Amino acid sequence: MDVVNALAQGLLLGGLYALFACGLSVVFGVMRIVNLAHGDLAIVAAFCAFVTLSATSLPLWLVAVVTVPVFSVVGYLTQRLLLQRSLQSGPLATLLVTFGLSVVIQNLLLELFSADTRTLDAGSFATSALEVGDVSLSYVGITGLVLAVGSIVAIQLFLSRTSSGRIMRATSDDPQTAALVGADARRVYGIASAIAFATVAMAGIVMAIRSSFDPSLGPAQLLFAFEAVVIGGLGSLWGTLLGGLALGVVQSLVAVADPSSSVLAGHLLFLLVLAFRPQGLVPARAS
Amino acid sequence: MSAVLQVHDLDVHHGQLRAVSGLDLELDAGGKVAVIGANGAGKTTLLRCLAGALPASSGRVLLDGEDVTELPAHRRVRRGVALVPEGRRLFPSLTVEENLLTGRNAGRSGSWDLAAVYELFDWMPERRRQPSGSLSGGQQQAVAIGRALMTNPRVLMLDELSLGLAPVVVRRIYETLPRIVAEGCAVLLVEQDVSQAMAVADHVHCLLEGRTTLAGPPSQLDRAAVEAAYFGLAEA
Amino acid sequence: MSAGVPAVSRSGRSTRPTSVVGAVLLLVLVALPFLVYEDVTSSLVSLFVLIVIASMWNLLAGFGGLVSVGQQAFIGVGAYTVVALADAGVPPYLGVLMAAVTAAALALPTSFLAFRLRGDYFAVGTWVIAEVYRLVLVKIDSLGGPSGRSLTGMNDVDATMRAAFTYWLALGVAVVSVATCFWLLRGRIGLALTAVRDDEVAARASGVDVTRAKRVMYLVSAAGCGAAGGVLVVDALSVQPNAIFSVQWSASMIFIVVIGGIGYLEGPIVGAIVYFLLQQVLADAGSWYLVLLGCVAILVATRLPRGLWGTVHDRWGLSLFPVDYRVTRAPAAEPCPAVRT
């Protein structure tokens, strides 16, 4: 059945959107900023994996396993060396800096790799699928969904069970008072940024295995991730997962009827939520 | 007794306004100093500056003889200066126990841990899993004090404990002060209620428009002098 | 009173010479098609468009505190309005006026959605909305769908005359845009937004209708971008949806305003000239040009947050379009005029 299949594919796609979105959600929750280069970072990760894969004979899974922690370190450093400075110069500056970063990344990639589309060669993994009745679930898609749920569970556990996570929530509530109990906001923001970079790198690599990519795709990923966060409800990671799934399902279902309207349908879902349920599907704890 | 905290000729600006000027103050280990003064006298600004939350414009702050004037708040609390801020400022998305545990972040060891705080406020263990916002004002104030104690401070600063609380609740909180001091920590408190401050402290410091107008042990200050210093009346 | 009452005025020492120089400059610009070759005036058209869109973005972000990454929505709407009206027989030059009106009309319902988001989320939300406008417009087959359309109704106009008219149109839109910003900011709305910029809570408490003031800014800004879109299509004689709705327009506005000086009316003009000159010099550098521009914008945003004009303003107190008040101490003996504006 077309609809059941579209629903299943939508859930897999939505999982990938949630993976894109969870880092955005964490960073906004802690720092109240949106990194406009978020989507472009995923493309950078895809190109990093692509280059490593062509230059060495390492297997793709190993490349991915190395890229993700490297990205989290880069995220920590980007926050400490570039964004922290702009956070102190007022609310406008971070937007301007991350937007500038987005333009720089896109055009650098364009100069280095041209506008050609590429794919990450994952061999049989990319093409094989789990057959459930009439529905075929690609392993790549399942990986994306599993990584999304896994990342969100891990981030939730980090926030609720560890002392760094506790301090991150405290800093998100009230950075001045958190400093009074010894929280170094710069470090907390660095960790949030490291989480965002790591998850978006995963998302970028999964996306690059699923479909072809080129330097211009970043902004679209940012918009989908952003929509997932708003649809789900600001400040709730489970909401972000739900928002991503809703977005994926709507895009996928509409694509059955009219493939050219699928992205528009996702945007309209976002606008409908904004108009009629601005708190999102899963509102954050009232505080 | 040696001074834990020494403040020399301190100026603090709040925006363009000089909120504290030329202030000198000394706090001995185990001492209890109260800063009194009317609204806008610069009391809260003084404490926030001593905690590192506001920069000093000039002057020096010494902790155990070491200059900490330039240290930001999160590093100062690691040296042992804790502030219970005005309005309690608990973290609303954290439970009671999680609020207390944030104090561990200062990385100081000492006699204050969860068990000690729970012993000091015996009602707290049964509510430790509740969100901090669900507590009454007095209970929240106790959690804020507990959170500061969890940093094992050398100097505990309390800003307007009694604000918005019923007198009986205030009294119960002040009753815990001797226990806190007995653990070897000095207390610097800001209080609008003069008689409360005079009853608790062994040294009183009166501020008017950021300047010290009167200082001394409560036993040596007569009520009229305090009133004059508090309101800025010319002495007759 | 020994020192005299401070006098409050708006005109700085530079204001009067500015008006004279400005008037002369404007006359020269108007006469330019008679003085220089067509390629000069035609490249100036793109400078004027940059000045318009950057001034509009500055109005939103610099004064209204609304950072939008989606003003290309209204550039596109404006361009398509001119195309659609030309099909109906409306002369394209008149269509540009209607483009401004249409953009403002669509901005009104849009604002109710967009204003549900604040700060950074407003920025990304407006971007999504711009995408929605693009995706909806490409569904209209009569407007050319995804591949775009050419503008009708311009074939019977002589090429030289058309270039001159387009130039005057662009100049006119630029002058009106800058003048509108100046006029808005000196009026009640400007006062309200200045109050909001200084302290939003206090402004609300003293009865300033903050949302209304911001909405007016949003509508005016949309109108300006709509007119700019109209000029673009009249200049190019065709429209391509991906280009006219490109986020690149937002990048240009943002870089121009940040480099020129956000929150100063002079900022976008200075920034647009710098941007325009860089564009001419680095025309062959391809994407490296944008890499460089992005780096410059990041540097300016972090190291020189008031931009080029803000730095000039701070150092010499220079102001061509004074919208803020300045307090000067009057001589003691002289009886003081209260408030001059």
Side-chain angles (χ1 to χ4, degrees):
Chain A
M1 241 179 82
D2 273 359
V3 173
V4 174
N5 188 46
L7 196 67
Q9 304 309 329
L11 287 174
L12 296 187
L13 181 63
L16 181 59
Y17 289 157
L19 191 55
F20 270 111
C22 61
L24 208 62
S25 187
V26 168
V27 167
F28 187 79
V30 179
M31 290 180 254
R32 306 281 182 272
I33 63 169
V34 174
N35 179 355
L36 293 179
H38 191 75
D40 302 295
L41 293 168
I43 309 298
V44 173
F47 272 107
C48 282
F50 178 79
V51 168
T52 320
L53 213 56
S54 6
T56 66
S57 55
L58 296 174
L60 178 59
W61 67 266
L62 188 61
V63 172
V65 165
V66 173
T67 307
V68 170
V70 167
F71 256 69
S72 69
V73 174
V74 172
Y76 187 85
L77 294 176
T78 308
Q79 176 61 37
R80 289 300 291 261
L81 302 177
L82 183 67
L83 297 182
Q84 187 62 39
R85 174 178 277 279
S86 61
L87 267 178
Q88 282 147 1
S89 2
L92 261 178
T94 51
L95 261 181
L96 303 179
V97 168
T98 58
F99 191 67
L101 203 59
S102 159
V103 171
V104 169
I105 291 175
Q106 275 173 52
N107 289 286
L108 264 183
L109 289 177
L110 201 58
E111 281 294 332
L112 294 176
F113 299 102
S114 83
D116 298 347
T117 57
R118 331 255 169 160
T119 41
L120 272 188
D121 182 12
S124 60
F125 174 69
T127 48
S128 47
L130 188 68
E131 305 291 338
V132 182
D134 293 343
V135 178
S136 121
L137 303 168
S138 74
Y139 285 126
V140 188
I142 296 173
T143 309
L145 182 57
V146 168
L147 282 175
V149 176
S151 301
I152 287 173
V153 168
I155 296 169
Q156 285 287 10
L157 284 176
F158 166 75
L159 288 173
S160 58
R161 298 287 167 82
T162 69
S163 99
S164 294
R166 207 153 44 221
I167 280 296
M168 189 172 280
R169 284 189 290 145
T171 306
S172 161
D173 279 354
D174 182 348
Q176 278 96 30
T177 306
L180 292 178
V181 293
D184 183 354
R186 290 170 306 177
R187 191 169 163 272
V188 172
Y189 295 162
I191 294 173
S193 208
I195 294 173
F197 273 56
T199 51
V200 89
M202 279 190 251
I205 292 172
V206 173
M207 186 197 78
I209 300 172
R210 264 183 79 109
S211 54
S212 57
F213 63 98
D214 67 69
S216 70
L217 287 183
Q221 311 315 312
L222 167 73
L223 295 190
F224 295 149
F226 169 74
E227 288 173 339
V229 174
V230 175
I231 292 170
L234 304 183
S236 159
L237 275 170
W238 291 117
T240 299
L241 178 65
L242 203 62
L245 295 179
L247 185 63
V249 166
V250 166
Q251 284 189 358
S252 179
L253 286 178
V254 171
V256 175
D258 173 14
S260 72
S261 297
S262 116
V263 172
L264 178 61
H267 291 333
L268 291 178
L269 172 68
F270 160 77
L271 292 182
L272 282 175
V273 169
L274 206 56
F276 298 108
R277 200 176 160 79
Q279 72 276 34
L281 300 178
V282 182
R285 295 166 299 261
S287 55
Chain B
M1 266 200 283
S2 64
V4 190
L5 184 76
Q6 289 167 288
V7 180
H8 293 304
D9 198 19
L10 185 72
D11 279 13
V12 191
H13 282 81
H14 201 292
Q16 294 191 333
L17 179 93
R18 182 151 64 176
V20 173
S21 45
L23 188 119
D24 289 292
L25 193 142
E26 250 184 40
L27 184 58
D28 293 332
K32 285 175 286 186
V33 171
V35 177
I36 59 173
N39 263 339
K43 308 183 299 287
T44 294
T45 306
L46 171 65
L47 288 203
R48 290 184 62 76
C49 175
L50 294 181
L54 278 176
S57 313
S58 67
R60 290 201 304 154
V61 180
L62 305 179
L63 183 68
D64 288 321
E66 271 184 70
D67 194 329
V68 295
T69 320
E70 299 296 321
L71 284 190
H74 68 272
R75 301 213 3 228
R76 219 176 279 202
V77 66
R78 291 173 197 175
R79 296 283 194 94
V81 181
L83 170 66
V84 178
E86 186 178 355
R88 303 171 294 259
R89 306 277 289 267
L90 295 183
F91 304 116
S93 63
L94 272 59
T95 64
V96 169
E97 184 161 292
E98 286 177 326
N99 262 284
L100 294 176
L101 286 173
T102 58
R104 275 196 194 160
N105 207 62
R108 293 175 58 81
S109 54
S111 53
W112 290 107
D113 54 14
L114 270 185
V117 172
Y118 285 157
E119 200 194 314
L120 185 65
F121 302 107
D122 53 8
W123 54 267
M124 224 178 257
E126 25 183 300
R127 294 180 174 251
R128 66 203 181 96
R129 300 216 181 279
Q130 287 188 10
S132 54
S134 67
L135 301 183
S136 72
Q139 288 169 331
Q140 289 191 21
Q141 187 62 271
V143 175
I145 294 173
R147 181 177 64 186
L149 288 175
M150 290 285 288
T151 69
N152 279 295
R154 303 268 291 126
V155 178
L156 177 68
M157 301 191 288
L158 305 161
D159 196 355
E160 302 271 13
L161 280 190
S162 52
L163 203 71
L165 301 183
V168 56
V169 177
V170 175
R171 205 182 62 230
R172 220 173 289 147
I173 289 178
Y174 271 112
E175 277 166 8
T176 61
L177 272 195
R179 296 254 337 258
I180 293 168
V181 176
E183 298 289 335
C185 129
V187 172
L188 179 62
L189 57 95
V190 152
E191 191 50 78
Q192 264 192 344
D193 181 342
V194 178
S195 45
Q196 183 68 262
M198 304 269 281
V200 177
D202 41 44
H203 197 95
V204 173
H205 215 92
C206 188
L207 284 190
L208 179 74
E209 289 169 0
R211 291 175 189 283
T212 306
T213 45
L214 187 74
S219 54
Q220 289 171 23
L221 302 175
D222 76 90
R223 215 163 164 94
V226 172
E227 242 168 61
Y230 191 99
F231 294 111
L233 308 170
E235 279 180 69
Chain C
M1 212 174 285
S2 58
V5 183
V8 181
S9 73
R10 260 177 162 165
S11 33
R13 64 190 142 104
S14 53
T15 319
R16 239 145 287 152
T18 307
S19 344
V20 177
V21 173
V24 171
L25 183 69
L26 194 59
L27 271 178
V28 171
L29 283 176
V30 169
L32 218 53
F34 303 112
L35 306 174
V36 298
Y37 289 114
E38 201 181 298
D39 53 343
V40 177
T41 52
S42 94
S43 65
L44 281 177
V45 169
S46 52
L47 172 64
F48 294 148
V49 168
L50 291 176
I51 290 180
V52 172
I53 61 176
S55 296
M56 291 302 141
W57 193 84
N58 186 40
L59 192 64
L60 266 188
F63 296 96
L66 297 164
V67 180
S68 166
V69 192
Q71 290 304 95
Q72 63 270 23
F74 303 112
I75 298 181
V77 163
Y80 272 99
T81 304
V82 172
V83 170
L85 286 176
D87 289 350
V90 179
Y93 293 114
L94 185 63
V96 171
L97 187 67
M98 296 309 295
V101 174
T102 312
L106 286 174
L108 184 63
T110 305
S111 74
F112 282 94
L113 275 178
F115 282 20
R116 295 211 154 181
L117 297 165
R118 310 207 145 261
D120 289 19
Y121 273 53
F122 176 81
V124 194
T126 55
W127 191 350
V128 173
I129 291 171
E131 282 294 288
V132 170
Y133 274 111
R134 177 178 69 86
L135 291 167
V136 169
L137 269 171
V138 298
K139 294 221 163 284
I140 303 174
D141 289 333
S142 67
L143 290 176
S147 49
R149 264 282 311 275
S150 57
L151 177 64
T152 56
M154 294 289 276
N155 300 334
D156 47 347
V157 187
D158 166 67
T160 314
M161 287 307 287
R162 196 180 66 213
F165 277 127
T166 305
Y167 170 82
W168 283 322
L169 177 73
L171 176 63
V173 171
V175 170
V176 170
S177 298
V178 174
T180 305
C181 292
F182 185 58
W183 171 77
L184 258 182
L185 293 172
R186 286 187 70 133
R188 278 180 67 91
I189 301 237
L191 207 58
L193 288 171
T194 312
V196 172
R197 186 179 60 187
D198 292 344
D199 188 340
E200 176 151 355
V201 178
R204 282 184 195 278
S206 50
V208 175
D209 188 342
V210 177
T211 312
R212 188 177 155 273
K214 288 186 174 178
R215 203 180 311 281
V216 170
M217 290 297 198
Y218 190 74
L219 297 194
V220 170
S221 173
C225 288
V231 171
L232 283 169
V233 76
V234 167
D235 188 38
L237 297 179
S238 67
V239 61
Q240 204 279 324
N242 289 346
I244 203 81
F245 282 105
S246 167
V247 72
Q248 189 56 47
W249 292 113
S250 279
S252 306
M253 300 178 204
I254 294 174
F255 290 165
I256 289 172
V257 175
V258 170
I259 292 169
I262 189 165
Y264 301 92
L265 283 180
E266 299 87 345
I269 301 173
V270 172
I273 293 170
V274 171
Y275 184 95
F276 177 75
L277 292 177
L278 276 177
Q279 216 172 22
Q280 308 293 316
V281 172
L282 298 170
D284 300 327
S287 310
W288 288 115
Y289 163 64
L290 286 167
V291 174
L292 177 77
L293 210 58
C295 292
V296 170
I298 291 174
L299 274 178
V300 173
T302 50
R303 309 272 164 154
L304 202 67
R306 297 160 83 80
L308 293 176
W309 188 264
T311 311
V312 169
H313 178 90
D314 289 353
R315 187 157 302 173
W316 294 289
L318 197 62
S319 197
L320 302 181
F321 303 111
V323 289
D324 52 348
Y325 291 91
R326 50 184 67 236
V327 180
T328 44
R329 209 170 268 291
E334 197 180 296
C336 262
V339 178
R340 276 198 316 251
T341 48

